[in-house]
Amino acid sequence: MSFVILQGHRIEYEYIQAASADAPVIVFLHEGLGSVAMWKDFPSRVAHATGCNALVYSRYGYGQSDPLTAARRVDFMHDEALKALPELLDKIGVQKPILFGHSDGGSIALIHAGGAGRPPAGVIVIAPHVMVEDISITSIQAAKQVYDTGLREKLGRYHADPDSAFWGWNDVWLNPEFRAWNIEEFLPHVICPVLAIQGEDDEYGTTEQIERIARLAPDVELLKLQDCRHSPHRDQPKAVIEAVVHFIERISQPCSKATN
């Protein structure tokens, strides 16, 4: 594991060298309670399946990155997409990445693609949020009720400070001001190809989320998965990896053959 300073905070990251140095780089953006460790081996599996390299990092407040010192603002995903992520890409030396975002990470990928002025080669989002739905708030309220009865211990396996990770996410999503949060204004400006994937049993959002992306962004493929909840890469990993391979084959020159 390596560390980099972003926006004045120590941030953990992992670079997966699965192909030649000039191969495309897939940048993984985790969910609202995620981290490098919570992805487990999925980024490596995707990198080797596609013949690309991968960059995985834990945002401020998550994993082994610095814990929060203040409550998150309602526009925290905008800050990550338009300030922290560009700084990370510049410091690691990644140009024209393929962004792969889950949940909040998917929203960050879309904001970056539509608003940072540096279009990525492509965007893959799984269970993204473009607006706030009642189902999201209900599930986040339910998570709050079980945090001290098992969830905190589980998160402690993946975060140095599980309280920072959980309350930083839970408090801002349950802030009444967050109900007006919406990133649809960025979607018409996402000029790169997009693959949007969602489970039909997602407990944090309906398929209206990805359908709005398809209506507003110029080049969007949709994949809706049955028997799949909020984490398609865990519930249906084979289907997700197959879709990602086909998508990257479409948008990229052939990647260099993966190394053993």
Side-chain angles (χ1 to χ4, degrees), residues 133-178:
E133 296 181 285
D134 289 343
I135 189 174
S136 306
I137 300 304
T138 298
S139 291
I140 292 169
Q141 288 172 331
K144 182 177 182 179
Q145 300 306 313
V146 300
Y147 179 63
D148 289 322
T149 59
L151 181 55
R152 186 180 191 278
E153 180 180 359
K154 180 180 178 180
L155 291 177
R157 303 170 197 164
Y158 304 104
H159 304 279
D161 188 334
D163 290 341
S164 172
F166 181 80
W167 294 115
W169 164 78
N170 196 267
D171 285 348
V172 71
W173 268 88
L174 297 183
N175 183 334
E177 294 181 8
F178 198 75

Side-chain angles (χ1 to χ4, degrees), residues 157-224:
R157 303 170 197 164
Y158 304 104
H159 304 279
D161 188 334
D163 290 341
S164 172
F166 181 80
W167 294 115
W169 164 78
N170 196 267
D171 285 348
V172 71
W173 268 88
L174 297 183
N175 183 334
E177 294 181 8
F178 198 75
R179 291 305 296 259
W181 180 91
N182 187 297
I183 63 166
E184 291 176 276
E185 65 183 287
F186 292 97
L187 299 180
H189 306 289
V190 179
I191 61 175
C192 66
V194 176
L195 171 62
I197 302 172
Q198 186 145 3
E200 293 185 348
D201 304 310
D202 191 334
E203 66 273 33
Y204 284 95
T206 71
T207 55
E208 176 65 16
Q209 300 281 353
I210 62 172
E211 288 164 3
R212 289 196 183 194
I213 297 171
R215 288 198 295 267
L216 294 171
D219 183 356
V220 181
E221 299 177 31
L222 297 185
L223 175 60
K224 301 175 184 178

